[in-house]
Amino acid sequence: SLSGGQQQRTAIARALVKGADLVLLDEPLANLDYKLREELRAELPKIFGGSKAIFVYATTEPSEALLLGGNTATLHQGAITQYGPTVDVYRSPHDRQTAEVFSDPPMNFLPVTVDGNGIRTAGGQAIAASGTLLGLSAGAYQLGFRPSNVYLSAANGAAVAMRGSVAVSEITGSESFIHIDTPAGRWIALTPGVRDAQPGQPIEFYLDPARFFVFASDGSLVRAPHRATAK
């Protein structure tokens, strides 16, 4: 007679009350309504911290992993792509695959080529060598940047101007997700507040070179925003 959410909470309680040394939780909040899920997200770290057990917690939501802390293993097609302290994995993904897995909304990517003529996108747009782009060796790279680092105005170092057209606009109230079609593919911008962008509308936006993740052609990380020394 229990609802799905009540069954989910009962299952969590049954796992915890046994006092086991190892507790496996497979998306334990998936069937809960939003308000209760947020309450338990705040409560679970306290429960875990007061227990001597080892908790293995599976989730498809990066925000949940970041909230819980501890160590994170990112998986792709059944293989672990990286393991370590959660914040370190988020800040310094070893490769593009990990960056894609551990980003919600997904990380955006821009292919560029570095040669004697500077840095250019596949569409021929020149990008100044600044931020994490300084001193890159000649070759092909993928620049990764999170949706929260796509800006609708040129401010605070966002000096790389890009153009595209609006595909979809999702408004949550406190923030808006704008899906943008560009020559390099579809990107997502996460902006605060309500942005009434209509499908097909031309849009100009800006990127900050200091926020770029730089990946080699094989997908390995070359530079991350907080540690710009090349490998």
PDB file of all heavy atoms in Angstrom, residues 132-151:
ATOM      1  N   THR A 132      44.037  29.800 -20.618  1.00  0.00           N
ATOM      2  CA  THR A 132      44.619  28.454 -20.703  1.00  0.00           C
ATOM      3  C   THR A 132      45.149  28.152 -22.101  1.00  0.00           C
ATOM      4  O   THR A 132      45.717  27.079 -22.327  1.00  0.00           O
ATOM      5  CB  THR A 132      43.574  27.383 -20.326  1.00  0.00           C
ATOM      6  OG1 THR A 132      42.448  27.509 -21.200  1.00  0.00           O
ATOM      7  CG2 THR A 132      43.118  27.537 -18.887  1.00  0.00           C
ATOM      8  N   LEU A 133      44.983  29.087 -23.050  1.00  0.00           N
ATOM      9  CA  LEU A 133      45.446  28.862 -24.420  1.00  0.00           C
ATOM     10  C   LEU A 133      46.873  29.336 -24.639  1.00  0.00           C
ATOM     11  O   LEU A 133      47.458  29.074 -25.696  1.00  0.00           O
ATOM     12  CB  LEU A 133      44.520  29.594 -25.409  1.00  0.00           C
ATOM     13  CG  LEU A 133      43.024  29.282 -25.296  1.00  0.00           C
ATOM     14  CD1 LEU A 133      42.248  30.057 -26.355  1.00  0.00           C
ATOM     15  CD2 LEU A 133      42.773  27.791 -25.436  1.00  0.00           C
ATOM     16  N   LEU A 134      47.441  30.016 -23.671  1.00  0.00           N
ATOM     17  CA  LEU A 134      48.794  30.550 -23.820  1.00  0.00           C
ATOM     18  C   LEU A 134      49.826  29.434 -23.963  1.00  0.00           C
ATOM     19  O   LEU A 134      49.832  28.469 -23.200  1.00  0.00           O
ATOM     20  CB  LEU A 134      49.164  31.416 -22.611  1.00  0.00           C
ATOM     21  CG  LEU A 134      48.672  32.868 -22.619  1.00  0.00           C
ATOM     22  CD1 LEU A 134      48.917  33.509 -21.258  1.00  0.00           C
ATOM     23  CD2 LEU A 134      49.374  33.671 -23.715  1.00  0.00           C
ATOM     24  N   GLY A 135      50.692  29.552 -24.960  1.00  0.00           N
ATOM     25  CA  GLY A 135      51.820  28.643 -25.097  1.00  0.00           C
ATOM     26  C   GLY A 135      51.498  27.242 -25.538  1.00  0.00           C
ATOM     27  O   GLY A 135      52.319  26.335 -25.362  1.00  0.00           O
ATOM     28  N   LEU A 136      50.350  27.018 -26.155  1.00  0.00           N
ATOM     29  CA  LEU A 136      50.021  25.673 -26.627  1.00  0.00           C
ATOM     30  C   LEU A 136      50.909  25.298 -27.817  1.00  0.00           C
ATOM     31  O   LEU A 136      51.168  26.124 -28.694  1.00  0.00           O
ATOM     32  CB  LEU A 136      48.556  25.598 -27.050  1.00  0.00           C
ATOM     33  CG  LEU A 136      47.491  25.599 -25.947  1.00  0.00           C
ATOM     34  CD1 LEU A 136      46.102  25.642 -26.574  1.00  0.00           C
ATOM     35  CD2 LEU A 136      47.637  24.392 -25.041  1.00  0.00           C
ATOM     36  N   SER A 137      51.337  24.067 -27.870  1.00  0.00           N
ATOM     37  CA  SER A 137      52.107  23.575 -29.016  1.00  0.00           C
ATOM     38  C   SER A 137      51.192  23.434 -30.223  1.00  0.00           C
ATOM     39  O   SER A 137      49.965  23.330 -30.096  1.00  0.00           O
ATOM     40  CB  SER A 137      52.739  22.219 -28.695  1.00  0.00           C
ATOM     41  OG  SER A 137      53.560  22.302 -27.548  1.00  0.00           O
ATOM     42  N   ALA A 138      51.784  23.418 -31.410  1.00  0.00           N
ATOM     43  CA  ALA A 138      51.003  23.258 -32.637  1.00  0.00           C
ATOM     44  C   ALA A 138      50.256  21.932 -32.609  1.00  0.00           C
ATOM     45  O   ALA A 138      50.766  20.918 -32.114  1.00  0.00           O
ATOM     46  CB  ALA A 138      51.920  23.331 -33.846  1.00  0.00           C
ATOM     47  N   GLY A 139      49.025  21.938 -33.120  1.00  0.00           N
ATOM     48  CA  GLY A 139      48.235  20.712 -33.166  1.00  0.00           C
ATOM     49  C   GLY A 139      46.756  20.995 -33.075  1.00  0.00           C
ATOM     50  O   GLY A 139      46.315  22.148 -33.048  1.00  0.00           O
ATOM     51  N   ALA A 140      45.985  19.918 -33.035  1.00  0.00           N
ATOM     52  CA  ALA A 140      44.529  20.017 -32.937  1.00  0.00           C
ATOM     53  C   ALA A 140      44.096  19.796 -31.488  1.00  0.00           C
ATOM     54  O   ALA A 140      44.630  18.915 -30.795  1.00  0.00           O
ATOM     55  CB  ALA A 140      43.868  18.982 -33.847  1.00  0.00           C
ATOM     56  N   TYR A 141      43.146  20.587 -31.039  1.00  0.00           N
ATOM     57  CA  TYR A 141      42.665  20.515 -29.661  1.00  0.00           C
ATOM     58  C   TYR A 141      41.137  20.630 -29.632  1.00  0.00           C
ATOM     59  O   TYR A 141      40.510  21.077 -30.601  1.00  0.00           O
ATOM     60  CB  TYR A 141      43.258  21.646 -28.812  1.00  0.00           C
ATOM     61  CG  TYR A 141      44.763  21.626 -28.696  1.00  0.00           C
ATOM     62  CD1 TYR A 141      45.565  22.308 -29.613  1.00  0.00           C
ATOM     63  CD2 TYR A 141      45.392  20.935 -27.668  1.00  0.00           C
ATOM     64  CE1 TYR A 141      46.948  22.295 -29.509  1.00  0.00           C
ATOM     65  CE2 TYR A 141      46.774  20.915 -27.548  1.00  0.00           C
ATOM     66  CZ  TYR A 141      47.546  21.600 -28.475  1.00  0.00           C
ATOM     67  OH  TYR A 141      48.913  21.576 -28.370  1.00  0.00           O
ATOM     68  N   GLN A 142      40.583  20.223 -28.490  1.00  0.00           N
ATOM     69  CA  GLN A 142      39.168  20.450 -28.209  1.00  0.00           C
ATOM     70  C   GLN A 142      39.110  21.344 -26.967  1.00  0.00           C
ATOM     71  O   GLN A 142      39.662  20.989 -25.919  1.00  0.00           O
ATOM     72  CB  GLN A 142      38.457  19.129 -27.926  1.00  0.00           C
ATOM     73  CG  GLN A 142      38.330  18.204 -29.119  1.00  0.00           C
ATOM     74  CD  GLN A 142      37.114  18.517 -29.962  1.00  0.00           C
ATOM     75  OE1 GLN A 142      36.204  19.224 -29.543  1.00  0.00           O
ATOM     76  NE2 GLN A 142      37.093  18.005 -31.190  1.00  0.00           N
ATOM     77  N   LEU A 143      38.450  22.490 -27.096  1.00  0.00           N
ATOM     78  CA  LEU A 143      38.272  23.372 -25.948  1.00  0.00           C
ATOM     79  C   LEU A 143      36.934  23.042 -25.293  1.00  0.00           C
ATOM     80  O   LEU A 143      35.895  23.032 -25.957  1.00  0.00           O
ATOM     81  CB  LEU A 143      38.283  24.843 -26.381  1.00  0.00           C
ATOM     82  CG  LEU A 143      39.497  25.302 -27.196  1.00  0.00           C
ATOM     83  CD1 LEU A 143      39.394  26.803 -27.467  1.00  0.00           C
ATOM     84  CD2 LEU A 143      40.798  24.968 -26.483  1.00  0.00           C
ATOM     85  N   GLY A 144      36.962  22.733 -24.019  1.00  0.00           N
ATOM     86  CA  GLY A 144      35.739  22.437 -23.288  1.00  0.00           C
ATOM     87  C   GLY A 144      35.397  23.590 -22.351  1.00  0.00           C
ATOM     88  O   GLY A 144      36.281  24.185 -21.736  1.00  0.00           O
ATOM     89  N   PHE A 145      34.120  23.906 -22.249  1.00  0.00           N
ATOM     90  CA  PHE A 145      33.683  24.958 -21.323  1.00  0.00           C
ATOM     91  C   PHE A 145      32.275  24.632 -20.849  1.00  0.00           C
ATOM     92  O   PHE A 145      31.436  24.147 -21.598  1.00  0.00           O
ATOM     93  CB  PHE A 145      33.739  26.342 -21.976  1.00  0.00           C
ATOM     94  CG  PHE A 145      33.101  26.417 -23.338  1.00  0.00           C
ATOM     95  CD1 PHE A 145      31.799  26.846 -23.502  1.00  0.00           C
ATOM     96  CD2 PHE A 145      33.820  26.034 -24.470  1.00  0.00           C
ATOM     97  CE1 PHE A 145      31.218  26.900 -24.754  1.00  0.00           C
ATOM     98  CE2 PHE A 145      33.241  26.083 -25.726  1.00  0.00           C
ATOM     99  CZ  PHE A 145      31.931  26.521 -25.876  1.00  0.00           C
ATOM    100  N   ARG A 146      32.046  24.870 -19.567  1.00  0.00           N
ATOM    101  CA  ARG A 146      30.763  24.514 -18.967  1.00  0.00           C
ATOM    102  C   ARG A 146      29.682  25.528 -19.366  1.00  0.00           C
ATOM    103  O   ARG A 146      29.977  26.693 -19.635  1.00  0.00           O
ATOM    104  CB  ARG A 146      30.903  24.442 -17.446  1.00  0.00           C
ATOM    105  CG  ARG A 146      31.942  23.406 -16.983  1.00  0.00           C
ATOM    106  CD  ARG A 146      31.856  23.136 -15.496  1.00  0.00           C
ATOM    107  NE  ARG A 146      32.987  22.342 -15.034  1.00  0.00           N
ATOM    108  CZ  ARG A 146      33.073  21.017 -15.135  1.00  0.00           C
ATOM    109  NH1 ARG A 146      32.085  20.347 -15.693  1.00  0.00           N
ATOM    110  NH2 ARG A 146      34.138  20.364 -14.688  1.00  0.00           N
ATOM    111  N   PRO A 147      28.421  25.093 -19.398  1.00  0.00           N
ATOM    112  CA  PRO A 147      27.333  26.003 -19.756  1.00  0.00           C
ATOM    113  C   PRO A 147      27.283  27.265 -18.905  1.00  0.00           C
ATOM    114  O   PRO A 147      26.888  28.330 -19.390  1.00  0.00           O
ATOM    115  CB  PRO A 147      26.080  25.140 -19.543  1.00  0.00           C
ATOM    116  CG  PRO A 147      26.549  23.752 -19.860  1.00  0.00           C
ATOM    117  CD  PRO A 147      27.945  23.694 -19.290  1.00  0.00           C
ATOM    118  N   SER A 148      27.693  27.171 -17.636  1.00  0.00           N
ATOM    119  CA  SER A 148      27.684  28.357 -16.774  1.00  0.00           C
ATOM    120  C   SER A 148      28.762  29.358 -17.152  1.00  0.00           C
ATOM    121  O   SER A 148      28.766  30.485 -16.644  1.00  0.00           O
ATOM    122  CB  SER A 148      27.864  27.943 -15.309  1.00  0.00           C
ATOM    123  OG  SER A 148      29.063  27.205 -15.141  1.00  0.00           O
ATOM    124  N   ASN A 149      29.678  28.957 -18.041  1.00  0.00           N
ATOM    125  CA  ASN A 149      30.736  29.858 -18.500  1.00  0.00           C
ATOM    126  C   ASN A 149      30.485  30.355 -19.919  1.00  0.00           C
ATOM    127  O   ASN A 149      31.406  30.786 -20.604  1.00  0.00           O
ATOM    128  CB  ASN A 149      32.098  29.169 -18.422  1.00  0.00           C
ATOM    129  CG  ASN A 149      32.491  28.807 -17.005  1.00  0.00           C
ATOM    130  OD1 ASN A 149      32.958  27.710 -16.751  1.00  0.00           O
ATOM    131  ND2 ASN A 149      32.282  29.720 -16.073  1.00  0.00           N
ATOM    132  N   VAL A 150      29.226  30.292 -20.353  1.00  0.00           N
ATOM    133  CA  VAL A 150      28.802  30.932 -21.607  1.00  0.00           C
ATOM    134  C   VAL A 150      28.033  32.186 -21.197  1.00  0.00           C
ATOM    135  O   VAL A 150      27.020  32.102 -20.506  1.00  0.00           O
ATOM    136  CB  VAL A 150      27.902  30.002 -22.442  1.00  0.00           C
ATOM    137  CG1 VAL A 150      27.444  30.707 -23.715  1.00  0.00           C
ATOM    138  CG2 VAL A 150      28.631  28.718 -22.784  1.00  0.00           C
ATOM    139  N   TYR A 151      28.538  33.347 -21.591  1.00  0.00           N
ATOM    140  CA  TYR A 151      27.988  34.615 -21.121  1.00  0.00           C
ATOM    141  C   TYR A 151      27.283  35.360 -22.251  1.00  0.00           C
ATOM    142  O   TYR A 151      27.711  35.311 -23.406  1.00  0.00           O
ATOM    143  CB  TYR A 151      29.106  35.489 -20.550  1.00  0.00           C
ATOM    144  CG  TYR A 151      29.932  34.778 -19.499  1.00  0.00           C
ATOM    145  CD1 TYR A 151      31.169  34.199 -19.828  1.00  0.00           C
ATOM    146  CD2 TYR A 151      29.486  34.654 -18.197  1.00  0.00           C
ATOM    147  CE1 TYR A 151      31.926  33.519 -18.875  1.00  0.00           C
ATOM    148  CE2 TYR A 151      30.236  33.988 -17.226  1.00  0.00           C
ATOM    149  CZ  TYR A 151      31.451  33.420 -17.578  1.00  0.00           C
ATOM    150  OH  TYR A 151      32.202  32.762 -16.639  1.00  0.00           O
TER     151      TYR A 151
END
